[in-house]
Amino acid sequence: RGIETVRVNISADYHSVLGPVFARAYLCFIVVLPRLWSAIYDSAFVAKFVRGWQLLNLHLAGEKLKTRLAGMKPDLIICTQAPPLAALALAKKRRGLAWPLVAVVTDYKPHRYWLDLPADCYLVGSPEAAEILKKTGLPGSCVRDTGIPVHPYFQRPLQTAKARRQLGLDEKAQVLILSGGSRGLGRMRAVAAALLARLPRAQILALCGSNEGLRRGLEAVHGAQGRLRALAQVSPMQMRE
């Protein structure tokens, strides 16, 4: 369709030390202290901390980011995560970046990080999310309820029986999907064990993302039963097939 997309990671790509360190700290916090993270997820304190990271990132890599964007001359900048969105909005404000900035809000309930510095347009996953943003004072014209974006491969319906056969699943048994996101986070081992014990006829597809240790561990403990398949990270095309 004549559209060229370029992926830019404004943390890792523009500060080779600070970006990965921040990402690892964030993931460790979620894994080691999930309850604490849930409690402070939408807190003013954490928002202030994140704002400090944004300012530091802009100070260390702002000119590099501006130079890269100027060379690309984008017609549109799309961001799918809240902290980088705020950093881009801050860079746009302080460094005179003129390109439209669109936020694709991948949280069903938008939190304050999405609104720290506003984008030009918000694409949200539900009417309820749109109302939350509008109540903060954002004009209705810049908030659109589009749903959570999915890859075009998933727009074509699958034949259930064929899909089950390809995955080696019983055609009549209940199938549960257990997902820890792209990183395979959370108490997936404990949840999988509990589900298998309490639902003796169910089969489980455990989506482990990039967590290869989790995948191997689940297969080693539960694979022989034939009721659990632990899957690594795959492309949308592989998922569709």
Side-chain angles (χ1 to χ4, degrees), residues 2 17-18 33 41 46 60 70-72 74 79 86 88 93 98-99 115 127 139 154 161 184 186 194 208 232 234:
V17 176
L18 183 63
L33 300 169
Y41 179 67
V46 175
L60 294 174
M72 292 166 52
C79 192
L88 282 166
K93 179 180 179 181
W99 304 285
L115 299 164
F154 300 116
C208 302
V234 296

Side-chain angles (χ1 to χ4, degrees), residues 26-153:
Y26 169 74
L27 291 173
C28 286
F29 196 103
I30 294 175
V31 172
V32 177
L33 300 169
R35 292 184 180 179
L36 179 58
W37 174 249
S38 297
I40 65 175
Y41 179 67
D42 196 15
S43 73
F45 171 79
V46 175
K48 183 178 180 180
F49 171 79
V50 172
R51 182 63 179 272
W53 168 78
Q54 293 157 2
L55 291 170
L56 179 60
N57 184 76
L58 183 64
H59 174 72
L60 294 174
E63 285 301 324
K64 189 176 181 181
L65 175 62
K66 181 179 179 181
T67 301
R68 172 73 182 277
L69 292 176
M72 292 166 52
K73 297 180 180 179
D75 297 299
L76 187 70
I77 299 175
I78 300 173
C79 192
T80 58
Q81 196 173 28
L85 172 70
L88 282 166
L90 186 61
K92 180 177 179 179
K93 179 180 179 181
R94 292 196 173 187
R95 300 184 183 274
L97 304 181
W99 304 285
L101 178 59
V102 175
V104 179
V105 182
T106 50
D107 296 303
Y108 281 103
K109 181 182 178 182
H111 49 68
R112 69 185 70 212
Y113 312 136
W114 289 104
L115 299 164
D116 195 21
L117 284 170
D120 298 302
C121 179
Y122 287 84
L123 308 181
V124 299
S126 68
E128 293 77 13
E131 287 302 315
I132 290 173
L133 292 183
K134 291 175 184 177
K135 287 179 180 179
T136 66
L138 284 174
S141 59
C142 73
V143 180
R144 300 184 182 182
D145 172 21
T146 59
I148 298 294
V150 296
H151 197 280
Y153 279 113

